[in-house]
Amino acid sequence: MFRAALQNVDLFWVILLYVVFVPETGCGSADADSCHEVKTAYMMRQIGPVELVPDRPGTDDSLRVCVHPGPSCCTSKMEDSYMAAVRSETQQKMRSYSFELKYLIAGHTKAYHETFESLVSFTSNLTSTLFDSAYSSLASNCRPLVFHLFSDIKRHLSGDSNSSLDNAVRRFYNDLFPLVYRRLLNPGIGHLSTPSYSSLSTNHDECLRLTRQDVSPFGLHPRLLVSSLSRALGPGRALSRLLQLAGEVVNATEKTTLSRECGRGLVRMQYCSHCRGLTLIRPCTGLCVNIMRGCLVGVSELGAPWGSLVVLLQRLAATLATSSNHNSMELALLAVRNHVNDAILHAQLHGPRITATVEKVCGPQAAGSMTTSTQPTILHTTTHAASATTEKSSVTLPPSVDPPNHHRLQLQARREFQGSIQRYQWFFSELPEMLCESEMEVEQHTCWSGQDVVESYAGRVVGSTLKAQKENPEMTVRNTDPVLKAAKQKLEQLTQELLVELGWASKARGRGEEEEGGSAQTDGGSGDDCDDEDGCEASGEESGDETGDAPSGRSPGTKDVAPPPRRPVPPQHLSPPQVAVHGSAHTTMFEPLTMVTLLLLLLSPWEPR
């Protein structure tokens, strides 16, 4: 018994000494003897020179961020190293999250441009064969004109802001007119070798170019060609412009600079716990969300216009993937050959009128000797024009000429692009939360609040908009990055501009009103007895998705076309599902009067008659 009592006394003193001399790690104070763990974490994360970490905790009055009573394993120079490291780490995480999106945009931009270039190259060569076969006297001079025309078309399809189909077609026919006038309409006019005649000929050709639109030798065919190409190439050009802008926006978000206030918040979240010797504690989720939303408020502001851009990209990809629309672009380029041929035939059929008008405006041109090699071709062409006086040209592709398969848009790849890009519709709106999820990989019962170890974050979690950030308890947010602000304006402007150019703005608005009206007829009967908490809003979204007008359930547009995109509500925040009867405005229930009637019938005595 004496031995047992002695053991109890020894155990009592051991516990007492432990309580008095051993610090409690739960209180968050640094080890009184060593900063070894802090130095190890500092070295493993390659934050800076390990010599900056003191061997023992002490006091440093120059600390600006990680200020707390008691000894600390941090110094002001360590704070500066933490600031640089945490900014670099955050930007690297942003680049890692956007890498797949950037690769997706770049890959499909290259694929679309290669498809467009191969199709334009094929139709350019096909158009040149028209002059080789039917107008050989023009072939050598017209080949560069055709090349320049299709080069301008390729630039237009690639989304070049300085390109214009109207200017390209006008320049082509302006340069074609002098050749047609000399070689086909007036074959007796030759080119002498004397310098004086060459000068007169050059001046006369320039006069023909300048007066081509007034003389109108090709009739309405130039205007018809512009109309045909503009209508058919519109979706392809819009897709190129959107993909180009999407790449620019992703690059802008990767290069965005984090403010000093953001850096202070990130240091307080990530590394101030190290100063207390707590190198393994994780920041609280609410703390991380508030700081990340404050740091990336400019990125979050891109969410709504980026969502509209993704919806429009999906619609354009679907438009080009359908056989009818793809054929319209392909056939429009193939039809350039026919348009040019019809224009030349029109000039030949109205040759006397054109010649008389030109002589009045530009003066007569003296005849010169022609080479004998061109005379047979001229006679053949004149005969061909005479035979076409009563009908329009119906020149089609030669039987052996057909666009190769690699010129056709790959439908499967386009559908894959639609599905892939849809996953990034809310990318910028959700990026702060995604960055915080990487910090919350390990589930713990306690977390770091920025000041101490707590069981849960007590601060208010604010929204991601610039207006909501005014209430952020963790940092002061005054404005957004000017680069990201400009990117947002570009997204909004280009999306609205393309909707107008494609003629989809009014249609999108009409569909939106129709969906709202349909929703009101289906679910609006119980609108007075239903609010957002009852799940009516979710029901309306489901009915909107059933229309199938767009891959995302709504038509692309800006603020006046579609409602601003919202982040999907987590399942735990949704109200319990309701069971409704289709075609009825209310859920099925017994009326109170019916229940009372049944109760009286059951309680009343029953007497057989």
Side-chain angles (χ1 to χ4, degrees):
M1 178 181 293
F2 177 76
R3 182 178 299 176
L6 182 62
Q7 290 178 351
N8 291 336
V9 171
D10 292 341
L11 181 61
F12 170 78
W13 283 109
V14 169
I15 294 174
L16 180 62
L17 290 174
Y18 181 84
V19 171
V20 172
F21 292 102
V22 178
E24 296 183 8
T25 57
C27 296
S29 59
D31 189 352
D33 296 329
S34 174
C35 294
H36 175 71
E37 291 185 4
V38 179
K39 183 176 292 189
T40 302
Y42 195 88
M43 179 179 60
M44 292 185 64
R45 298 196 180 195
Q46 299 179 351
I47 294 174
V50 71
E51 294 81 10
L52 296 178
V53 183
D55 295 330
R56 297 177 181 278
T59 58
D60 189 346
D61 297 334
S62 61
L63 290 174
R64 301 177 301 276
V65 181
C66 301
V67 180
H68 68 275
S72 173
C73 286
C74 290
T75 64
S76 60
K77 292 185 178 180
M78 287 177 63
E79 278 188 341
D80 295 336
S81 298
Y82 282 142
M83 181 84 71
V86 77
R87 283 179 173 179
S88 177
E89 290 172 2
T90 303
Q91 290 177 326
Q92 180 60 36
K93 289 177 182 178
M94 292 173 61
R95 285 191 291 269
S96 65
Y97 273 104
S98 62
F99 173 78
E100 185 180 352
L101 173 60
K102 189 175 181 179
Y103 178 80
L104 175 70
I105 294 172
H108 281 275
T109 300
K110 182 180 178 182
Y112 276 112
H113 285 176
E114 288 178 351
T115 302
F116 294 155
E117 288 177 4
S118 62
L119 183 58
V120 169
S121 176
F122 176 80
T123 51
S124 175
N125 294 333
L126 185 65
T127 303
S128 294
T129 61
L130 168 68
F131 296 97
D132 295 331
S133 59
Y135 309 104
S136 58
S137 63
L138 307 177
S140 60
N141 297 98
C142 287
R143 195 171 291 112
L145 304 184
V146 173
F147 175 79
H148 288 305
L149 171 63
F150 280 90
S151 296
D152 290 337
I153 291 175
K154 183 171 67 174
R155 289 177 54 223
H156 183 78
L157 267 175
S158 66
D160 190 340
S161 59
N162 296 323
S163 66
S164 170
L165 284 178
D166 188 64
N167 292 338
V169 173
R170 184 188 303 114
R171 183 166 52 249
F172 171 77
Y173 280 109
N174 287 347
D175 294 337
L176 180 63
F177 181 37
L179 298 175
V180 172
Y181 184 80
R182 290 182 179 281
R183 307 287 178 84
L184 299 182
L185 304 187
N186 298 279
I189 299 177
H191 294 277
L192 298 180
S193 58
T194 59
S196 60
Y197 186 88
S198 299
S199 177
L200 291 174
S201 176
T202 302
N203 294 335
H204 196 267
D205 288 351
E206 186 65 24
C207 180
L208 291 174
R209 292 189 184 93
L210 295 176
T211 59
R212 195 270 306 173
Q213 288 185 282
D214 296 329
V215 176
S216 187
F218 303 114
L220 297 177
H221 295 290
R223 190 181 304 173
L224 294 175
L225 177 57
V226 172
S227 176
S228 173
L229 291 177
S230 299
R231 182 175 58 255
L233 305 185
R237 173 177 168 81
L239 183 66
S240 296
R241 295 180 66 186
L242 282 179
L243 288 173
Q244 180 180 356
L245 180 58
E248 293 176 359
V249 170
V250 175
N251 289 334
T253 58
E254 289 183 349
K255 297 176 182 178
T256 182
T257 56
L258 301 178
S259 65
R260 186 165 185 82
E261 179 70 17
C262 167
R264 291 168 63 90
L266 291 172
V267 170
R268 191 169 65 254
M269 178 183 77
Q270 291 276 14
Y271 291 114
C272 281
S273 58
H274 290 208
C275 301
R276 309 274 287 272
L278 307 173
T279 59
L280 300 179
I281 193 73
R282 297 275 181 165
C284 298
T285 302
L287 171 69
C288 181
V289 170
N290 274 339
I291 291 179
M292 286 299 182
R293 285 180 175 176
C295 290
L296 304 181
V297 61
V299 176
S300 300
E301 287 285 304
L302 295 173
W306 175 263
S308 300
L309 177 139
V310 170
V311 173
L312 186 53
L313 273 177
Q314 288 180 275
R315 185 172 180 184
L316 288 169
T319 300
L320 291 175
T322 56
S323 58
S324 59
N325 236 288
H326 160 57
N327 287 339
S328 68
M329 182 175 68
E330 184 176 291
L331 293 178
L333 290 173
L334 292 173
V336 173
R337 173 189 172 107
N338 285 2
H339 281 289
V340 173
N341 184 71
D342 291 339
I344 295 175
L345 289 179
H346 182 278
Q348 289 179 307
L349 294 176
H350 299 83
R353 177 189 63 80
I354 296 171
T355 301
T357 305
V358 167
E359 289 181 351
K360 290 180 181 179
V361 177
C362 299
Q365 182 68 27
S369 61
M370 297 294 297
T371 57
T372 56
S373 59
T374 60
Q375 291 177 357
T377 303
I378 295 170
L379 293 176
H380 170 74
T381 306
T382 306
T383 305
H384 174 69
S387 64
T389 54
T390 58
E391 61 180 359
K392 185 181 178 180
S393 168
S394 60
V395 176
T396 57
L397 301 182
S400 60
V401 178
D402 187 41
N405 291 331
H406 69 272
H407 287 149
R408 300 185 180 277
L409 294 174
Q410 301 174 2
L411 305 184
Q412 184 63 29
R414 304 305 173 255
R415 294 191 182 99
E416 290 177 0
F417 173 69
Q418 291 177 248
S420 300
I421 198 65
Q422 185 178 11
R423 294 188 289 111
Y424 292 94
Q425 184 172 354
W426 313 113
F427 176 74
F428 292 115
S429 299
E430 298 176 346
L431 185 58
E433 286 79 358
M434 288 190 289
L435 293 174
C436 286
E437 287 174 0
S438 65
E439 296 293 333
M440 304 296 130
E441 294 176 355
V442 180
E443 183 177 356
Q444 296 179 341
H445 298 291
T446 58
C447 61
W448 177 253
S449 68
Q451 300 293 336
D452 209 339
V453 178
V454 297
E455 292 185 358
S456 62
Y457 182 68
R460 174 191 173 190
V461 178
V462 298
S464 58
T465 63
L466 180 60
K467 182 179 180 180
Q469 286 302 308
K470 295 179 180 179
E471 307 295 331
N472 195 326
E474 301 298 335
M475 57 188 299
T476 303
V477 181
R478 295 183 177 88
N479 47 33
T480 60
D481 190 328
V483 176
L484 297 181
K485 188 175 182 180
K488 178 184 177 182
Q489 292 176 350
K490 283 185 179 179
L491 284 173
E492 294 173 342
Q493 292 173 0
L494 182 61
T495 303
Q496 184 62 33
E497 177 186 337
L498 293 180
L499 286 172
V500 174
E501 286 184 4
L502 296 170
W504 292 352
S506 58
K507 295 179 181 178
R509 188 179 298 109
R511 274 199 302 271
E513 293 174 355
E514 187 175 326
E515 288 178 3
E516 292 176 2
S519 176
Q521 292 176 1
T522 305
D523 302 323
S526 56
D528 297 336
D529 302 327
C530 184
D531 55 13
D532 292 342
E533 295 180 357
D534 295 331
C536 300
E537 189 172 357
S539 175
E541 290 175 359
E542 291 175 0
S543 65
D545 290 341
E546 292 175 0
T547 60
D549 289 337
S552 65
R554 288 194 182 274
S555 304
T558 53
K559 289 180 285 188
D560 62 331
V561 177
R566 299 178 304 162
R567 189 167 182 265
V569 182
Q572 61 268 24
H573 294 167
L574 293 176
S575 302
Q578 296 182 347
V579 179
V581 179
H582 291 286
S584 175
H586 300 275
T587 54
T588 304
M589 59 170 55
F590 290 104
E591 296 291 342
L593 182 60
T594 305
M595 293 295 296
V596 173
T597 304
L598 290 176
L599 186 61
L600 291 175
L601 289 174
L602 290 174
L603 295 179
S604 61
W606 179 75
E607 295 180 359
R609 294 183 179 180

